[in-house]
Amino acid sequence: MKYLVIAAFIAILGSLGAALLFMMRGGTANPADSEASPRKNHMARALAFRVGFSILLFVVVLVSYWMGWIQPTGVPMQP
């Protein structure tokens, strides 16, 4: 389970880095050439993948808790 979470975090950070790279490169030289430049589409797609990876990680952790594959640790709850 630890390796799955680590892989998900790497995918999230990689997607965020790719979006940053596409944002820093910018779009076309002349904005009047096209309404949406291909690089902006790549940036939006990379950010969408990041959101998807984050939601998938949350769902996997939630299902793993429900199935008993992971146990909560930390400060015990006291009434």
Side-chain angles (χ1 to χ4, degrees):
M1 197 62 184
K2 289 180 187 180
Y3 298 119
L4 181 68
V5 171
I6 290 170
F9 275 125
I10 289 172
I12 290 168
L13 291 176
S15 180
L16 191 60
L20 175 67
L21 181 68
F22 289 127
M23 183 182 71
M24 295 303 288
R25 285 185 182 173
T28 59
N30 188 0
D33 288 343
S34 65
E35 291 182 18
S37 69
R39 289 194 177 133
K40 288 184 182 178
N41 289 338
H42 288 299
M43 183 183 73
R45 187 177 304 135
L47 290 174
F49 280 135
R50 184 192 65 85
V51 171
F53 287 138
S54 299
I55 292 171
L56 180 66
L57 177 62
F58 178 76
V59 169
V60 166
V61 169
L62 192 62
V63 168
S64 298
Y65 173 71
W66 282 341
M67 298 294 283
W69 297 336
I70 59 174
Q71 298 296 322
T73 61
V75 180
M77 295 177 56
Q78 296 178 1

Coordinates of all heavy atoms in Angstrom, one line a residue:
M1 N 0.8 -1.2 0.0 CA 0.0 0.0 0.0 C 0.9 1.3 0.0 O 0.5 2.2 -0.6 CB -0.9 0.0 1.2 CG -2.1 0.9 1.1 SD -3.0 0.4 -0.3 CE -4.2 1.6 -0.3
K2 N 2.0 1.2 0.7 CA 2.9 2.4 0.8 C 3.4 2.7 -0.6 O 3.5 3.9 -1.0 CB 4.1 2.1 1.7 CG 3.7 2.0 3.1 CD 5.0 1.8 3.9 CE 4.7 1.6 5.4 NZ 5.9 1.3 6.2
Y3 N 3.7 1.7 -1.4 CA 4.3 1.9 -2.7 C 3.2 2.5 -3.7 O 3.6 3.3 -4.5 CB 4.9 0.6 -3.3 CG 6.0 0.1 -2.5 CD1 5.9 -1.2 -1.9 CD2 7.1 0.8 -2.2 CE1 7.0 -1.7 -1.1 CE2 8.2 0.3 -1.5 CZ 8.1 -0.9 -0.9 OH 9.1 -1.4 -0.1
L4 N 2.0 2.1 -3.5 CA 0.9 2.6 -4.3 C 0.7 4.1 -4.0 O 0.6 4.9 -5.0 CB -0.4 1.9 -4.1 CG -1.6 2.3 -4.9 CD1 -1.4 2.0 -6.3 CD2 -2.8 1.7 -4.4
V5 N 0.8 4.5 -2.8 CA 0.6 5.9 -2.4 C 1.8 6.7 -2.9 O 1.6 7.8 -3.4 CB 0.4 6.0 -0.9 CG1 0.5 7.5 -0.4 CG2 -0.9 5.4 -0.4
I6 N 3.0 6.2 -2.8 CA 4.2 6.9 -3.3 C 4.1 7.0 -4.8 O 4.4 8.1 -5.3 CB 5.5 6.1 -2.8 CG1 5.7 6.2 -1.3 CG2 6.7 6.6 -3.6 CD1 6.8 5.3 -0.8
A7 N 3.7 6.0 -5.5 CA 3.6 6.1 -6.9 C 2.5 7.1 -7.3 O 2.7 7.9 -8.3 CB 3.2 4.8 -7.5
A8 N 1.4 7.2 -6.6 CA 0.4 8.2 -6.9 C 0.9 9.6 -6.6 O 0.6 10.5 -7.4 CB -0.8 7.9 -6.0
F9 N 1.7 9.8 -5.6 CA 2.2 11.1 -5.3 C 3.2 11.5 -6.4 O 3.3 12.7 -6.8 CB 2.9 11.2 -3.9 CG 1.9 11.5 -2.8 CD1 1.8 10.7 -1.7 CD2 1.1 12.6 -2.9 CE1 1.0 11.0 -0.7 CE2 0.2 12.9 -1.8 CZ 0.2 12.1 -0.7
I10 N 4.0 10.6 -6.9 CA 5.0 10.9 -7.9 C 4.2 11.3 -9.2 O 4.6 12.2 -9.9 CB 5.9 9.7 -8.1 CG1 6.9 9.6 -7.0 CG2 6.7 9.8 -9.5 CD1 7.7 8.4 -7.0
A11 N 3.1 10.5 -9.5 CA 2.3 10.9 -10.7 C 1.7 12.2 -10.5 O 1.6 13.0 -11.5 CB 1.2 9.8 -10.9
I12 N 1.2 12.6 -9.3 CA 0.6 13.9 -9.1 C 1.6 15.0 -9.3 O 1.4 16.0 -10.0 CB 0.0 14.0 -7.7 CG1 -1.3 13.1 -7.7 CG2 -0.4 15.4 -7.3 CD1 -1.8 12.8 -6.3
L13 N 2.8 14.8 -8.7 CA 3.9 15.8 -8.8 C 4.4 15.9 -10.3 O 4.7 17.0 -10.8 CB 5.0 15.6 -7.9 CG 4.7 15.8 -6.4 CD1 5.8 15.3 -5.5 CD2 4.3 17.2 -6.1
G14 N 4.5 14.8 -11.0 CA 4.9 14.8 -12.3 C 3.9 15.5 -13.2 O 4.3 16.3 -14.1
S15 N 2.7 15.3 -13.0 CA 1.7 16.0 -13.8 C 1.7 17.5 -13.5 O 1.5 18.3 -14.5 CB 0.3 15.4 -13.5 OG -0.7 16.1 -14.2
L16 N 1.9 17.9 -12.3 CA 2.0 19.3 -11.9 C 3.2 19.9 -12.6 O 3.1 21.0 -13.1 CB 2.0 19.4 -10.4 CG 1.8 20.8 -9.8 CD1 0.5 21.4 -10.3 CD2 1.9 20.8 -8.3
G17 N 4.3 19.2 -12.6 CA 5.5 19.7 -13.2 C 5.4 19.8 -14.7 O 5.8 20.8 -15.3
A18 N 4.7 18.9 -15.3 CA 4.4 19.0 -16.8 C 3.5 20.2 -17.1 O 3.8 20.9 -18.1 CB 3.7 17.7 -17.3
A19 N 2.5 20.5 -16.3 CA 1.7 21.7 -16.5 C 2.5 22.9 -16.3 O 2.3 23.9 -17.1 CB 0.5 21.7 -15.5
L20 N 3.4 22.9 -15.4 CA 4.3 24.1 -15.2 C 5.2 24.3 -16.4 O 5.3 25.4 -16.9 CB 5.1 23.9 -13.9 CG 6.2 25.0 -13.7 CD1 5.5 26.4 -13.4 CD2 7.1 24.6 -12.5
L21 N 5.7 23.2 -16.9 CA 6.5 23.3 -18.1 C 5.8 23.9 -19.3 O 6.2 24.8 -20.0 CB 7.1 21.9 -18.4 CG 8.0 21.8 -19.6 CD1 9.3 22.5 -19.3 CD2 8.3 20.4 -20.0
F22 N 4.6 23.4 -19.5 CA 3.8 23.9 -20.6 C 3.4 25.3 -20.4 O 3.3 26.1 -21.4 CB 2.5 23.0 -20.8 CG 2.8 21.6 -21.4 CD1 2.3 20.5 -20.7 CD2 3.5 21.5 -22.5 CE1 2.6 19.3 -21.2 CE2 3.8 20.2 -23.0 CZ 3.3 19.1 -22.4
M23 N 3.1 25.7 -19.1 CA 2.7 27.1 -18.9 C 3.9 28.0 -19.1 O 3.8 29.1 -19.7 CB 2.3 27.2 -17.4 CG 1.8 28.7 -17.1 SD 1.3 28.8 -15.4 CE 2.9 28.7 -14.5
M24 N 5.1 27.6 -18.7 CA 6.3 28.5 -18.9 C 6.7 28.6 -20.4 O 7.2 29.7 -20.8 CB 7.5 27.9 -18.1 CG 7.3 27.9 -16.6 SD 6.9 29.5 -15.9 CE 8.4 30.3 -16.1
R25 N 6.4 27.6 -21.2 CA 6.7 27.7 -22.6 C 5.8 28.7 -23.3 O 6.2 29.2 -24.3 CB 6.7 26.3 -23.2 CG 7.8 25.5 -22.9 CD 7.7 24.2 -23.7 NE 8.8 23.3 -23.4 CZ 8.9 22.1 -23.8 NH1 8.0 21.6 -24.6 NH2 9.9 21.3 -23.5
G26 N 4.6 28.8 -22.8 CA 3.6 29.7 -23.4 C 3.0 29.1 -24.6 O 3.2 28.0 -25.0
G27 N 2.1 29.9 -25.3 CA 1.4 29.5 -26.4 C 2.1 29.9 -27.7 O 3.3 30.0 -27.8
T28 N 1.3 30.2 -28.7 CA 1.8 30.6 -30.0 C 2.3 32.0 -29.9 O 2.0 32.8 -29.0 CB 0.7 30.5 -31.1 OG1 -0.4 31.4 -30.7 CG2 0.2 29.1 -31.3
A29 N 3.1 32.4 -30.9 CA 3.7 33.8 -30.9 C 2.6 34.8 -31.1 O 2.7 35.9 -30.6 CB 4.8 33.9 -32.0
N30 N 1.6 34.5 -32.0 CA 0.6 35.5 -32.3 C -0.7 34.9 -31.8 O -1.3 33.9 -32.3 CB 0.5 35.7 -33.8 CG -0.5 36.8 -34.2 OD1 -1.1 37.4 -33.3 ND2 -0.6 37.0 -35.5
P31 N -1.3 35.5 -30.7 CA -2.6 35.0 -30.2 C -3.7 34.9 -31.2 O -4.7 34.2 -31.0 CB -2.9 35.9 -29.0 CG -1.7 36.7 -28.8 CD -0.8 36.6 -30.0
A32 N -3.7 35.8 -32.2 CA -4.8 35.8 -33.2 C -4.8 34.6 -34.1 O -5.7 34.4 -34.8 CB -4.7 37.1 -34.0
D33 N -3.7 33.8 -34.1 CA -3.6 32.7 -35.0 C -4.6 31.6 -34.7 O -5.2 31.0 -35.6 CB -2.2 32.0 -34.9 CG -1.1 32.9 -35.6 OD1 -1.5 33.8 -36.4 OD2 0.0 32.7 -35.3
S34 N -4.9 31.4 -33.4 CA -5.9 30.4 -33.0 C -6.4 30.8 -31.7 O -5.8 31.4 -30.9 CB -5.2 29.0 -33.0 OG -4.3 28.9 -31.9
E35 N -7.6 30.3 -31.5 CA -8.3 30.6 -30.2 C -7.7 29.9 -29.0 O -7.5 30.5 -28.0 CB -9.8 30.3 -30.3 CG -10.5 31.2 -31.2 CD -12.0 30.9 -31.3 OE1 -12.5 30.2 -30.3 OE2 -12.7 31.3 -32.2
A36 N -7.3 28.7 -29.2 CA -6.7 27.9 -28.1 C -5.4 27.2 -28.7 O -5.5 26.4 -29.5 CB -7.7 26.8 -27.6
S37 N -4.3 27.7 -28.2 CA -3.1 27.1 -28.7 C -2.9 25.7 -28.2 O -3.4 25.3 -27.1 CB -1.9 28.0 -28.3 OG -1.7 27.9 -26.9
P38 N -2.2 24.8 -28.9 CA -2.0 23.5 -28.5 C -1.3 23.3 -27.1 O -1.6 22.4 -26.3 CB -1.1 22.9 -29.6 CG -1.3 23.7 -30.7 CD -1.6 25.1 -30.2
R39 N -0.4 24.2 -26.8 CA 0.3 24.1 -25.5 C -0.6 24.4 -24.3 O -0.5 23.8 -23.3 CB 1.5 25.1 -25.5 CG 2.6 24.6 -26.4 CD 3.9 25.3 -26.1 NE 4.9 24.8 -27.0 CZ 5.7 25.5 -27.7 NH1 5.7 26.8 -27.6 NH2 6.7 24.9 -28.4
K40 N -1.6 25.3 -24.5 CA -2.5 25.6 -23.5 C -3.4 24.3 -23.3 O -3.8 24.0 -22.1 CB -3.4 26.8 -23.8 CG -2.6 28.1 -23.7 CD -3.5 29.3 -23.9 CE -2.7 30.6 -23.8 NZ -3.5 31.7 -24.1
N41 N -3.7 23.6 -24.3 CA -4.5 22.4 -24.2 C -3.7 21.3 -23.5 O -4.2 20.6 -22.6 CB -4.9 21.8 -25.6 CG -6.0 22.7 -26.2 OD1 -6.7 23.4 -25.6 ND2 -6.0 22.6 -27.5
H42 N -2.4 21.3 -23.7 CA -1.5 20.4 -23.0 C -1.5 20.7 -21.5 O -1.5 19.8 -20.6 CB -0.1 20.3 -23.6 CG 0.0 19.7 -24.9 ND1 -0.3 18.4 -25.1 CD2 0.4 20.2 -26.1 CE1 -0.1 18.1 -26.4 NE2 0.3 19.2 -27.0
M43 N -1.4 22.0 -21.2 CA -1.4 22.4 -19.8 C -2.7 22.0 -19.1 O -2.7 21.5 -18.0 CB -1.1 23.9 -19.7 CG -1.0 24.4 -18.2 SD -0.8 26.1 -18.1 CE -2.4 26.7 -18.5
A44 N -3.8 22.3 -19.7 CA -5.1 22.0 -19.1 C -5.2 20.4 -19.0 O -5.7 20.0 -17.9 CB -6.2 22.5 -20.0
R45 N -4.7 19.7 -19.9 CA -4.8 18.2 -19.8 C -3.9 17.7 -18.7 O -4.3 16.8 -17.9 CB -4.4 17.6 -21.1 CG -4.6 16.1 -21.1 CD -4.2 15.4 -22.5 NE -5.0 16.0 -23.5 CZ -4.4 16.4 -24.7 NH1 -3.1 16.2 -24.9 NH2 -5.2 16.9 -25.7
A46 N -2.7 18.3 -18.5 CA -1.9 17.9 -17.4 C -2.5 18.2 -16.0 O -2.4 17.4 -15.1 CB -0.5 18.6 -17.5
L47 N -3.1 19.4 -15.9 CA -3.8 19.7 -14.7 C -5.0 18.8 -14.4 O -5.3 18.5 -13.3 CB -4.2 21.2 -14.7 CG -3.0 22.2 -14.6 CD1 -3.5 23.6 -14.8 CD2 -2.3 22.0 -13.3
A48 N -5.7 18.5 -15.5 CA -6.8 17.5 -15.3 C -6.4 16.2 -14.9 O -7.0 15.5 -14.0 CB -7.6 17.4 -16.7
F49 N -5.2 15.7 -15.4 CA -4.7 14.4 -14.9 C -4.3 14.5 -13.5 O -4.5 13.6 -12.7 CB -3.5 14.0 -15.8 CG -3.8 13.4 -17.1 CD1 -3.1 13.8 -18.2 CD2 -4.8 12.4 -17.1 CE1 -3.4 13.2 -19.4 CE2 -5.1 11.8 -18.4 CZ -4.4 12.2 -19.5
R50 N -3.7 15.7 -13.0 CA -3.4 15.9 -11.6 C -4.6 15.8 -10.7 O -4.6 15.1 -9.7 CB -2.7 17.2 -11.4 CG -2.2 17.4 -10.0 CD -1.8 18.8 -9.7 NE -2.9 19.7 -9.7 CZ -3.7 20.0 -8.7 NH1 -3.6 19.3 -7.6 NH2 -4.7 20.8 -8.9
V51 N -5.7 16.4 -11.1 CA -6.9 16.3 -10.3 C -7.4 14.9 -10.3 O -7.9 14.4 -9.3 CB -8.0 17.3 -10.9 CG1 -9.3 17.1 -10.3 CG2 -7.5 18.7 -10.7
G52 N -7.4 14.2 -11.5 CA -7.8 12.8 -11.5 C -7.0 11.9 -10.7 O -7.5 11.1 -10.0
F53 N -5.7 12.1 -10.7 CA -4.8 11.3 -9.8 C -5.1 11.6 -8.3 O -5.1 10.6 -7.5 CB -3.3 11.6 -10.1 CG -2.8 11.0 -11.4 CD1 -2.0 11.8 -12.2 CD2 -3.1 9.7 -11.8 CE1 -1.5 11.3 -13.4 CE2 -2.7 9.2 -13.0 CZ -1.8 10.0 -13.8
S54 N -5.3 12.8 -8.0 CA -5.6 13.1 -6.6 C -6.9 12.5 -6.1 O -7.0 11.9 -5.0 CB -5.7 14.7 -6.4 OG -4.5 15.3 -6.7
I55 N -8.0 12.6 -7.0 CA -9.2 11.9 -6.6 C -9.1 10.4 -6.5 O -9.6 9.8 -5.6 CB -10.3 12.3 -7.6 CG1 -10.6 13.8 -7.5 CG2 -11.6 11.5 -7.5 CD1 -11.5 14.4 -8.6
L56 N -8.4 9.8 -7.5 CA -8.1 8.4 -7.5 C -7.4 8.0 -6.2 O -7.7 7.0 -5.6 CB -7.4 8.0 -8.7 CG -7.1 6.5 -8.8 CD1 -8.4 5.7 -9.0 CD2 -6.1 6.2 -10.0
L57 N -6.4 8.7 -5.8 CA -5.6 8.4 -4.6 C -6.6 8.5 -3.3 O -6.5 7.6 -2.5 CB -4.5 9.4 -4.4 CG -3.7 9.2 -3.1 CD1 -3.0 7.8 -3.0 CD2 -2.6 10.3 -3.0
F58 N -7.4 9.5 -3.3 CA -8.4 9.6 -2.2 C -9.3 8.4 -2.1 O -9.5 7.9 -1.1 CB -9.1 10.9 -2.3 CG -10.2 11.1 -1.2 CD1 -9.8 11.5 0.1 CD2 -11.5 10.9 -1.4 CE1 -10.7 11.6 1.1 CE2 -12.5 11.1 -0.5 CZ -12.1 11.4 0.8
V59 N -9.8 8.0 -3.3 CA -10.8 6.9 -3.3 C -10.1 5.6 -2.9 O -10.6 4.8 -2.2 CB -11.4 6.8 -4.7 CG1 -12.2 5.5 -4.9 CG2 -12.3 8.0 -5.0
V60 N -8.9 5.4 -3.4 CA -8.1 4.2 -3.1 C -7.9 4.1 -1.6 O -8.0 3.1 -0.9 CB -6.8 4.1 -3.9 CG1 -5.9 3.1 -3.3 CG2 -7.1 3.8 -5.3
V61 N -7.5 5.2 -1.0 CA -7.2 5.2 0.5 C -8.5 5.0 1.2 O -8.6 4.2 2.2 CB -6.6 6.6 0.9 CG1 -6.5 6.7 2.4 CG2 -5.1 6.6 0.4
L62 N -9.6 5.6 0.8 CA -10.9 5.4 1.5 C -11.4 3.9 1.4 O -11.8 3.4 2.4 CB -11.9 6.3 0.8 CG -13.3 6.5 1.5 CD1 -13.0 7.1 2.9 CD2 -14.2 7.4 0.7
V63 N -11.3 3.4 0.2 CA -11.7 2.0 0.0 C -10.8 1.0 0.8 O -11.2 0.1 1.4 CB -11.7 1.6 -1.5 CG1 -11.8 0.1 -1.7 CG2 -12.8 2.3 -2.2
S64 N -9.5 1.3 0.8 CA -8.6 0.5 1.6 C -8.9 0.5 3.1 O -8.8 -0.5 3.7 CB -7.1 1.0 1.4 OG -6.8 0.9 0.0
Y65 N -9.3 1.7 3.6 CA -9.7 1.8 5.0 C -10.9 0.9 5.2 O -11.0 0.2 6.2 CB -9.9 3.2 5.4 CG -10.4 3.4 6.8 CD1 -9.7 3.1 7.9 CD2 -11.8 3.8 6.9 CE1 -10.2 3.3 9.1 CE2 -12.3 4.0 8.2 CZ -11.5 3.7 9.3 OH -12.0 3.9 10.6
W66 N -11.9 1.1 4.3 CA -13.2 0.3 4.5 C -12.9 -1.2 4.4 O -13.6 -2.0 5.1 CB -14.2 0.7 3.5 CG -14.9 2.0 3.7 CD1 -15.0 2.7 4.9 CD2 -15.6 2.8 2.8 NE1 -15.7 3.8 4.8 CE2 -16.1 3.9 3.5 CE3 -15.8 2.7 1.4 CZ2 -16.8 4.9 2.8 CZ3 -16.6 3.7 0.8 CH2 -17.0 4.8 1.5
M67 N -12.0 -1.6 3.6 CA -11.7 -3.0 3.4 C -10.8 -3.6 4.5 O -10.6 -4.8 4.6 CB -11.0 -3.3 2.1 CG -11.9 -2.9 0.9 SD -13.4 -3.9 0.7 CE -12.7 -5.4 0.1
G68 N -10.2 -2.7 5.3 CA -9.4 -3.1 6.4 C -7.9 -3.4 6.0 O -7.1 -3.9 6.8
W69 N -7.5 -2.9 4.8 CA -6.2 -3.1 4.3 C -5.2 -2.1 5.0 O -4.0 -2.4 5.1 CB -6.1 -2.9 2.8 CG -6.9 -3.9 2.1 CD1 -7.2 -5.2 2.5 CD2 -7.4 -3.8 0.8 NE1 -8.0 -5.8 1.5 CE2 -8.1 -5.0 0.4 CE3 -7.4 -2.7 -0.2 CZ2 -8.7 -5.2 -0.8 CZ3 -8.0 -2.9 -1.4 CH2 -8.7 -4.1 -1.7
I70 N -5.7 -1.0 5.5 CA -4.9 0.0 6.2 C -5.6 0.3 7.5 O -6.8 0.2 7.6 CB -4.6 1.3 5.4 CG1 -5.9 2.0 5.0 CG2 -3.8 1.0 4.2 CD1 -5.7 3.3 4.3
Q71 N -4.9 0.6 8.5 CA -5.4 1.0 9.8 C -5.0 2.4 10.2 O -3.8 2.7 10.0 CB -4.9 0.0 10.9 CG -5.3 -1.5 10.7 CD -6.8 -1.6 10.7 OE1 -7.5 -1.0 11.5 NE2 -7.4 -2.5 9.9
P72 N -5.9 3.1 10.8 CA -5.5 4.5 11.3 C -4.5 4.4 12.4 O -4.6 3.5 13.3 CB -6.8 5.1 11.7 CG -7.7 4.0 12.0 CD -7.3 2.9 11.1
T73 N -3.5 5.3 12.4 CA -2.6 5.4 13.5 C -2.5 6.8 14.0 O -3.0 7.7 13.3 CB -1.2 4.9 13.1 OG1 -0.7 5.7 12.0 CG2 -1.2 3.5 12.6
G74 N -1.8 7.0 15.1 CA -1.7 8.4 15.6 C -2.3 8.5 16.9 O -2.3 7.6 17.7
V75 N -2.8 9.7 17.2 CA -3.4 10.0 18.5 C -4.7 9.3 18.7 O -5.6 9.4 17.8 CB -3.6 11.5 18.7 CG1 -4.2 11.8 20.0 CG2 -2.3 12.2 18.5
P76 N -4.9 8.4 19.7 CA -6.2 7.8 19.9 C -7.3 8.7 20.3 O -7.0 9.7 21.0 CB -5.9 6.7 21.0 CG -4.7 7.2 21.7 CD -3.9 8.0 20.7
M77 N -8.5 8.5 19.8 CA -9.6 9.3 20.2 C -10.1 9.0 21.6 O -10.3 7.8 21.9 CB -10.7 9.2 19.2 CG -10.4 9.6 17.8 SD -11.6 9.3 16.6 CE -13.0 10.2 17.3
Q78 N -10.3 10.0 22.4 CA -10.8 9.8 23.8 C -12.1 10.6 23.9 O -12.2 11.7 23.5 CB -9.8 10.2 24.8 CG -8.5 9.4 24.7 CD -7.5 9.9 25.7 OE1 -7.7 10.8 26.5 NE2 -6.3 9.2 25.7
P79 N -13.1 10.0 24.6 CA -14.3 10.7 24.8 C -14.2 11.9 25.8 O -13.4 12.1 26.5 CB -15.3 9.7 25.3 CG -14.5 8.5 25.8 CD -13.1 8.7 25.1

